[in-house]
Amino acid sequence: MGHSQKESVWGSCNLFSRKAILFSLTLLVFFNFHLKDTQAHPLSPPTELFAQDTPNDHGKSISLNWNLSPDDGKVEGGVLSYEILRSTGLQGVFEVVGSVPAGTKEFTDQDTALVNSHNYYYKSRAVAVTDSAVSEIFGPVTPSGQWFHTGKTSVFVATLLFCLIIIVAISYAKRGGKLYIRPLAGINAVDEAIGRATEMGQPILFVPGLGEAYEVATIAAFTILGRVARKTAEYQSRLIVPAYYPMVMVVSQEVVKSAYMDVGRPDIYNEKDIFFVTQEQFPYAAAVNGIMLRERPAANFYLGKFYAESLMLAETGFLAGSIQIAGTDEPIQIPFFVAACDYVLIGEELYAASAYLSRDPVQLGTLKGQDWNKLAIVILVGLGILTATLGFAWFINLFNVNI
Amino acid sequence: MPISTDIGVWVAVFFTLCIFSFLYKDNPFYKFAEHVAVGVSAGYWFVVLMKETLEPAVFLPLKQGRWNLVPGPFGIFLLILPVLIGLLLFFRFSKKYNYIARIPIALIYGIGAGPTLVQYLQNSVIRQIQPTMVKISFASWDSFSEVLIAVGVVCGLTYFFFSKEHRGTIGAVAKVGIWTLMIGFGATFGFTVMARVSLLIGRFVFLMRDWLGVIS
């Protein structure tokens, strides 16, 4: 009935009126849509804000993530950035603690003001040119430190196993177990070099490198220095040790002094021959080069940590005609020593030389333990290649380290 | 471009030429430059250590009465203990008690070696083992190079095996290991020499452009 009534009203209009009505309706629909598209509507906030204590750290850090605002990515009126606001109370004042650009979903609050075991509340605010929208509050979150870094479990297990193997080897050495170490050419040449210097009546130069006193290569160098000092004390030769760090000078003096006392010649120990030069790389190299040309040592020892100065030193020593023995665990510098020195201790040979010379059960056991560890690594690599080839990824994943 | 009138450039040129004179032989100019460099750098580091270590970590907290460097009952030890341990080093000048100076030295050894052990195991062992465990497919040259790396690692490790004489099979494997190392050293040598030559070029550019102005 209604339908027929509408038809009758429509039917009663003439052709012109019908066209006018249709035109008006079209305009109305067009402008309605256009207005909907351009009119300012409120910016949508980010959602699902989540915050938690950052795992595997010493605390004082909160990790946050959120879902992007629906207006993120829009060219006009879209989100420009997200601000992260923090408060110590639900009703407290929220302060901006960080900002990330649009499209970013996460932030780590590492503000130094964060205190472990305190509660914090967070909000994330989407910021546009003229507008902003705040998410719901998330909290409380409490930063705390962890004693165990779960991402480094493999390192923990490996450290335990490595140490266990070395402890077993040391205890075996201490009980008097026979531990063979193959001879190292560079070390056998030490006595020869000192003997030559003594015959020529010229001093011996020992350069302990640019490493700090606590670095493994420097510690190994100290052991060899002890051996060299013992020989120079026996032969009454002069030993010169220019140090790069004051602490290296102090330790070198202690080592040389002990060696001279062991041999029973503390009277010929000269502390002034073991001196601090400078803590700057190239002035140090220039000074050592000068010593080589002025003091004319017959034997030069470069043992420890070396960097770009290695070739400068070895080349000058070579030109001065000295017999040269070098050793470092810096792989980049070894080629220069190989090119310019008579004998080179490559990498771990430096540590082995230290044990070989001292015959100390602890050092010998450590070296033996390291050999067993190397054997274990070779076996593990073989197993890893086999399992990877057969398509078992789990074995390789055991060695994951997530820092 | 005219020759430089900048006094700083002239000083730098003078010292550059002094150091270059070492190529001829040791001489008073080289000796002068060497002594200046050593003296200036030693003095510089003294100031740096005073300003960046002792002043902010010791003198300022003491002056301002901030005895607790971090909150908590043990905060005070972070300030006092290192200072006291450092002062023990001065016992070196005592003939009777000079053995006390060995305490800080032992601490430096221990504290240095402990964290280094874990870092070495993490970065030089565990994180190196995993990429060596490669899948052998024989399908591409990539796989060939990966196998080459794995073989090189195993042979290299064998070379550093000190418990056995390098004879027989172990000797042969160790020989492959040392060859692998030497090839690596050769590549490193060439690469580093190129870097050094570029440093030399840089120094000549300084002389020609910044000083003499003969190149632009």
Side-chain angles (χ1 to χ4, degrees):
Chain A
M1 185 71 184
H3 181 70
S4 60
Q5 272 180 348
K6 274 181 188 170
E7 267 188 350
S8 63
V9 170
W10 183 250
S12 65
C13 295
N14 59 26
L15 188 64
F16 179 76
S17 301
R18 280 187 201 172
K19 280 185 178 175
I21 290 166
L22 272 172
F23 181 70
S24 304
L25 279 170
T26 308
L27 276 179
L28 193 65
V29 167
F30 173 77
F31 279 112
N32 190 32
F33 275 118
H34 187 69
L35 281 172
K36 261 189 182 174
D37 201 38
T38 56
Q39 75 182 358
H41 70 90
L43 192 71
S44 303
T47 55
E48 305 287 326
L49 175 68
F50 179 73
Q52 62 172 351
D53 170 45
T54 307
N56 297 322
D57 67 353
H58 66 292
K60 299 179 181 180
S61 173
I62 299 285
S63 298
L64 300 104
N65 60 67
W66 55 86
N67 286 345
L68 297 178
S69 158
D71 295 323
D72 194 310
K74 280 188 179 172
V75 180
E76 282 184 25
V79 176
L80 293 175
S81 64
Y82 293 96
E83 286 179 344
I84 291 82
L85 300 100
R86 188 184 68 209
S87 171
T88 49
L90 199 58
Q91 306 299 327
V93 179
F94 279 81
E95 291 177 348
V96 177
V97 290
S99 174
V100 289
T104 312
K105 291 177 169 181
E106 55 190 26
F107 175 78
T108 305
D109 183 10
Q110 292 178 313
D111 190 355
T112 48
L114 280 176
V115 180
N116 282 350
S117 307
H118 280 58
N119 287 343
Y120 294 97
Y121 296 83
Y122 284 90
K123 289 196 280 191
S124 175
R125 181 161 65 197
V127 180
V129 177
T130 56
D131 200 4
S132 67
V134 183
S135 71
E136 288 182 0
I137 298 171
F138 187 93
V141 195
T142 312
S144 63
Q146 286 77 46
W147 285 98
F148 189 80
H149 193 308
T150 50
K152 292 185 178 181
T153 307
S154 58
V155 178
F156 175 69
V157 173
T159 308
L160 280 184
L161 288 175
F162 271 59
C163 290
L164 186 71
I165 288 171
I166 285 170
I167 288 167
V168 168
I170 289 173
S171 63
Y172 177 72
K174 278 186 171 174
R175 286 200 306 271
K178 284 187 179 175
L179 297 176
Y180 172 79
I181 293 181
R182 68 175 168 85
L184 299 162
I187 284 307
N188 291 339
V190 169
D191 291 355
E192 180 197 331
I194 298 169
R196 180 173 177 254
T198 309
E199 282 171 13
M200 294 170 76
Q202 289 173 332
I204 289 141
L205 178 70
F206 191 101
V207 185
L210 270 61
E212 267 281 16
Y214 55 76
E215 289 187 52
V216 186
T218 318
I219 295 170
F222 288 143
T223 312
I224 301 171
L225 173 64
R227 161 76 169 206
V228 171
R230 217 174 273 249
K231 285 285 169 193
T232 55
E234 280 174 15
Y235 298 157
Q236 298 180 38
S237 301
R238 188 179 166 208
L239 176 63
I240 303 170
V241 186
Y244 184 74
Y245 283 110
M247 277 308 293
V248 172
M249 179 199 74
V250 171
V251 179
S252 299
Q253 285 176 342
E254 290 288 327
V255 168
V256 175
K257 193 176 171 183
S258 299
Y260 275 65
M261 287 171 82
D262 287 348
V263 175
R265 295 309 306 266
D267 53 308
I268 55 168
Y269 165 67
N270 185 4
E271 198 176 74
K272 287 179 183 169
D273 277 337
I274 303 156
F275 50 88
F276 168 67
V277 180
T278 177
Q279 217 167 310
E280 196 72 40
Q281 185 182 20
F282 293 112
Y284 176 79
V288 175
N289 280 352
I291 292 167
M292 282 184 209
L293 292 175
R294 279 158 227 150
E295 302 289 347
R296 291 272 164 195
N300 297 334
F301 294 90
Y302 312 107
L303 298 161
K305 206 94 178 158
F306 288 87
Y307 300 99
E309 73 293 338
S310 62
L311 187 59
M312 295 177 197
L313 301 177
E315 186 65 17
T316 309
F318 175 78
L319 290 173
S322 314
I323 185 166
Q324 304 201 97
I325 298 171
T328 184
D329 60 357
E330 273 299 312
I332 294 172
Q333 306 309 324
I334 293 170
F336 299 112
F337 283 141
V338 170
C341 293
D342 298 281
Y343 299 96
V344 182
L345 297 167
I346 299 169
E348 207 189 338
E349 284 184 335
L350 178 65
Y351 315 144
S354 169
Y356 184 79
L357 287 174
S358 67
R359 308 307 294 181
D360 171 29
V362 175
Q363 288 201 40
L364 283 174
T366 307
L367 193 65
K368 201 62 150 181
Q370 284 173 11
D371 271 1
W372 293 344
N373 283 324
K374 275 174 236 160
L375 192 65
I377 289 170
V378 169
I379 293 167
L380 286 174
V381 167
L383 280 173
I385 291 172
L386 189 69
T387 51
T389 307
L390 294 174
F392 303 120
W394 62 267
F395 185 77
I396 296 174
N397 292 338
L398 289 176
F399 299 88
N400 282 345
V401 179
N402 299 315
I403 300 169
Chain B
M1 214 162 74
I3 194 164
S4 173
T5 52
D6 186 340
I7 186 76
V9 171
W10 277 86
V11 171
V13 167
F14 172 72
F15 281 107
T16 301
L17 295 177
C18 284
I19 294 293
F20 276 168
S21 70
F22 188 73
L23 290 169
Y24 171 59
K25 66 173 188 177
D26 190 27
N27 63 74
F29 289 105
Y30 175 77
K31 207 182 277 184
F32 174 72
E34 173 201 321
H35 283 75
V36 168
V38 169
V40 167
S41 59
Y44 168 77
W45 274 104
F46 177 76
V47 174
V48 167
L49 291 173
M50 283 294 286
K51 285 277 173 193
E52 292 187 6
T53 305
L54 285 175
E55 204 171 290
V58 181
F59 298 148
L60 269 179
L62 286 176
K63 192 178 167 186
Q64 295 167 352
R66 287 189 291 116
W67 293 82
N68 269 27
L69 286 187
V70 292
F74 301 108
I76 191 165
F77 293 110
L78 284 178
L79 177 66
I80 299 299
L81 213 59
V83 174
L84 289 178
I85 293 169
L87 288 173
L88 293 181
L89 271 174
F90 286 102
F91 277 98
R92 291 190 69 247
F93 302 115
S94 161
K95 282 190 178 172
K96 197 175 175 184
Y97 301 107
N98 60 4
Y99 65 90
I100 295 176
R102 293 184 178 184
I103 295 170
I105 295 172
L107 270 170
I108 289 169
Y109 267 26
I111 292 166
T116 310
L117 170 75
V118 181
Q119 278 170 14
Y120 262 77
L121 276 171
Q122 180 182 295
N123 298 327
S124 303
V125 180
I126 305 291
R127 298 183 84 182
Q128 302 293 326
I129 287 177
Q130 205 177 34
T132 316
M133 296 171 173
V134 288
K135 183 181 178 180
I136 300 172
S137 66
F138 301 105
S140 68
W141 280 104
D142 289 346
S143 189
F144 172 76
S145 64
E146 284 171 345
V147 171
L148 203 64
I149 289 169
V151 170
V153 168
V154 171
C155 294
L157 279 172
T158 310
Y159 174 77
F160 290 108
F161 199 71
F162 299 104
S163 302
K164 288 272 178 198
E165 192 85 55
H166 283 176
R167 283 183 189 158
T169 310
I170 290 180
V173 175
K175 192 160 262 181
V176 176
I178 193 68
W179 271 97
T180 310
L181 288 171
M182 286 301 162
I183 291 167
F185 291 156
T188 309
F189 188 89
F191 178 74
T192 314
V193 166
M194 278 172 64
R196 299 289 168 83
V197 170
S198 77
L199 286 176
L200 182 69
I201 291 169
R203 214 60 215 154
F204 274 110
V205 167
F206 165 73
L207 291 175
M208 299 294 178
R209 186 187 61 196
D210 298 359
W211 180 44
L212 295 175
V214 292
I215 58 170
S216 57

